[in-house]
């Protein structure tokens, strides 16, 4: 019987570090690709920040409120949280990447910014994978599973908070007075969170499911690294994801306050969590397309709380400008300096050794 991707991973991981480099380095194509990404990113930034009337008005209002008025304090605090937001993401990637090879936090932070810039111009932000992988010196194909694992941890945090937020709105505005329906929704929320959490600690089930689906079978070997991550490391990464989620939510709350949205903290937190979840569940063509999904969700949920659409819309657009547009522009600096082609060489064992899949005993 042929070996599964998970079983064959341990046998092939050592060989991947010593595979010969390509015979020819297509340096001209690499330079052209970097310039193309730079021009495309700058074009999208111009379209979203200048040509788009709603976003342009939002960032001008953000700038005006940061320079004076009652909104200055919250806006400046939200701006100061931007490095912390992406620093936590870099910390998360650093924990995952050093399972594959020794890597510094500085390089991990650079990889996150490069991935953010490439994701800005690619469908469903798949460029995020390429940006992080190209910053590694070896085992780049194995890194696909590591990037997916990091994004999945962030999804778990988003689903956990988002389902609770949406549950509040469902119980308050849609099924109030129907105890049986309310009980069913609570149970459904619990089951959804368990269903999302299970594959994180039993990723061999996810690899087996991908292997069983013929169109996805070719991706199974890239995900085979996931079951080698110990449960303790996964828990740490999940906690970092939760911290990053809190920072992101705090930024949204500060911007809502800056634009004059007045509502109780609990319902506002539920609306923010529901907005993030709905945005995460909808595929997008690029980062710019995420804007419409987030704004539609935010204005609807805050509308149920009696808040006008315009300040909510401005706060949500400003959140996108601070956390996506500005860091993507900064990431262009590192994209131009990125070494796409590297000479493969043997890499010493990482500090966190990958256990054999059959010996691992994951636990929640």
């Amino acid at each position: 019987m042929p070996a599964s991707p998970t079983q064959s991973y341990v046998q092939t991981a050592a060989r991947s570090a010593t595979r010969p480099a390509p015979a020819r380095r297509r340096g001209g194509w690499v330079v052209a690709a970097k310039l193309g990404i730079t021009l495309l990113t700058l074009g999208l930034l111009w379209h979203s920040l200048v040509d788009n009337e709603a976003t342009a008005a939002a960032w001008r209002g953000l700038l005006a409120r940061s320079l004076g008025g009652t909104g200055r304090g919250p806006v400046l605090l939200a701006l100061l949280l931007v490095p912390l937001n992406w620093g936590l993401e870099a910390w998360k990637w650093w924990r995952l990447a050093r399972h594959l090879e020794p890597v510094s936090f500085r390089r991990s932070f650079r990889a996150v910014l490069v991935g953010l810039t490439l994701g800005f111009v690619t469908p469903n932000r798949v460029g995020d994978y390429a940006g992080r992988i190209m910053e590694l010196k070896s085992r780049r194909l194995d890194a696909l599973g590591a990037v997916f694992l990091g994004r999945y941890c962030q999804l778990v945090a988003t689903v956990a908070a988002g389902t609770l937020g949406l549950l509040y709105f469902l119980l308050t505005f849609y099924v109030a007075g129907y105890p049986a329906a309310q009980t069913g929704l609570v149970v459904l929320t619990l089951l959804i969170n368990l269903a999302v959490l299970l594959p994180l600690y039993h990723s061999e089930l996810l690899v087996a499911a991908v292997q069983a689906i013929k169109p996805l079978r070719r991706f199974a070997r890239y995900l085979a690294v996931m079951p080698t991550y110990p449960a303790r490391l996964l828990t740490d990464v999940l906690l970092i994801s939760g911290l990053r989620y809190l920072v992101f939510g705090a930024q949204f709350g500060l911007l809502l306050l800056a634009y004059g949205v007045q509502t109780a903290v609990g319902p506002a937190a539920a609306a923010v969590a529901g907005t993030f979840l709905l945005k995460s569940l909808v595929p997008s063509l690029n980062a710019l397309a995420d804007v419409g999904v987030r704004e539609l969700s935010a204005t609807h949920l805050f509308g149920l709380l009696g808040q006008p659409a315009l300040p909510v819309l401005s706060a949500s657009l400003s959140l996108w400008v601070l956390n996506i547009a500005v860091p993507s522009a900064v990431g262009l600096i590192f994209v131009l300096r990125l070494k796409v082609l590297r000479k493969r060489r043997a890499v010493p064992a990482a500090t966190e050794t990958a256990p054999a899949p059959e010996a691992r005993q994951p636990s929640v």
Side-chain angles (χ1 to χ4, degrees):
M1 184 176 69
S4 68
T6 303
Q7 293 171 334
S8 63
Y9 169 75
V10 177
Q11 300 171 356
T12 59
R15 296 199 301 267
S16 65
T18 58
R19 289 173 184 165
R24 296 181 179 179
R25 294 177 178 272
R26 303 184 182 276
W29 288 107
V30 172
V31 173
K34 289 181 179 181
L35 291 176
I37 292 171
T38 300
L39 293 175
L40 184 58
T41 303
L42 291 175
L44 282 174
L45 285 171
W46 177 269
H47 172 72
S48 59
L49 298 180
V50 179
D51 283 354
N52 187 290
E53 183 178 348
T55 313
W59 77 259
R60 285 196 298 267
L62 180 67
L63 182 62
R65 289 174 181 273
S66 63
L67 295 177
T70 57
R72 178 171 55 185
V75 169
L76 292 179
L77 185 54
L79 181 62
L80 291 175
L81 289 177
V82 172
L84 177 60
N85 184 5
W86 291 107
L88 288 171
E89 180 64 21
W91 185 21
K92 184 172 66 175
W93 173 239
W94 176 65
R95 295 297 306 274
L96 292 167
R98 71 177 185 166
H99 182 78
L100 304 176
E101 68 173 56
V103 60
S104 65
F105 179 81
R106 179 181 178 182
R107 205 163 90 229
S108 298
F109 196 95
R110 184 174 63 196
V112 166
L113 289 180
V114 170
L116 180 64
T117 302
L118 297 181
F120 186 80
V121 297
T122 52
N124 257 356
R125 303 187 60 79
V126 295
D128 183 45
Y129 286 81
R132 301 189 190 204
I133 290 169
M134 286 188 291
E135 281 286 351
L136 295 180
K137 296 180 179 179
S138 66
R139 298 179 66 178
R140 287 179 167 182
L141 293 182
D142 293 335
L144 283 168
V147 179
F148 178 82
L149 199 54
R151 295 182 73 169
Y152 192 82
C153 284
Q154 198 64 53
L155 178 65
V156 171
T158 302
V159 170
T163 51
L164 291 177
L166 292 181
L167 180 64
Y168 166 80
F169 282 95
L170 291 172
L171 297 180
T172 304
F173 296 100
Y174 293 98
V175 294
Y178 298 92
Q182 291 178 333
T183 302
L185 286 173
V186 171
V187 173
L188 179 61
T189 300
L190 178 62
L191 292 177
I192 290 174
N193 281 277
L194 290 176
V196 172
L197 188 62
L198 180 64
L200 177 62
Y201 289 95
H202 294 276
S203 52
E204 66 276 4
L205 300 177
L206 181 61
V207 176
V210 172
Q211 176 69 10
I213 303 174
K214 190 172 182 179
L216 301 179
R217 193 170 298 166
R218 55 181 175 153
F219 299 108
R221 65 192 181 102
Y222 304 129
L223 303 181
V225 69
M226 295 196 306
T228 69
Y229 280 85
R232 181 176 179 179
L233 176 57
L234 295 176
T235 301
D236 290 344
V237 174
L238 185 59
L239 290 175
I240 296 171
S241 300
L243 287 175
R244 182 170 179 252
Y245 184 91
L246 290 176
V247 171
F248 204 51
Q251 287 179 297
F252 199 1
L254 288 167
L255 292 172
L256 288 167
L257 181 63
Y259 281 99
V261 175
Q262 300 290 333
T263 187
V265 174
V272 169
T275 297
F276 289 164
L277 176 60
L278 292 175
K279 194 277 296 182
S280 299
L281 296 179
V282 178
S284 61
L285 296 177
N286 52 50
L288 183 58
D290 285 348
V291 174
V293 177
R294 184 184 296 116
E295 275 54 77
L296 181 62
S297 305
T299 53
H300 174 70
L301 294 177
F302 277 96
L304 293 175
L305 299 177
Q307 299 301 312
L310 184 57
V312 174
L313 180 65
S314 299
S316 187
L317 288 169
S318 299
L319 180 71
W320 180 85
V321 171
L322 287 182
N323 282 297
I324 303 297
V326 173
S328 294
V330 175
L332 281 174
I333 301 172
F334 301 105
V335 169
L336 294 174
R337 299 170 56 188
L338 185 64
K339 293 182 180 179
V340 178
L341 299 174
R342 296 181 183 269
K343 180 180 287 187
R344 295 181 181 270
R345 57 184 176 85
V347 179
T351 56
E352 296 180 25
T353 306
E358 59 272 17
R360 177 172 160 266
Q361 297 294 331
S363 61
V364 178

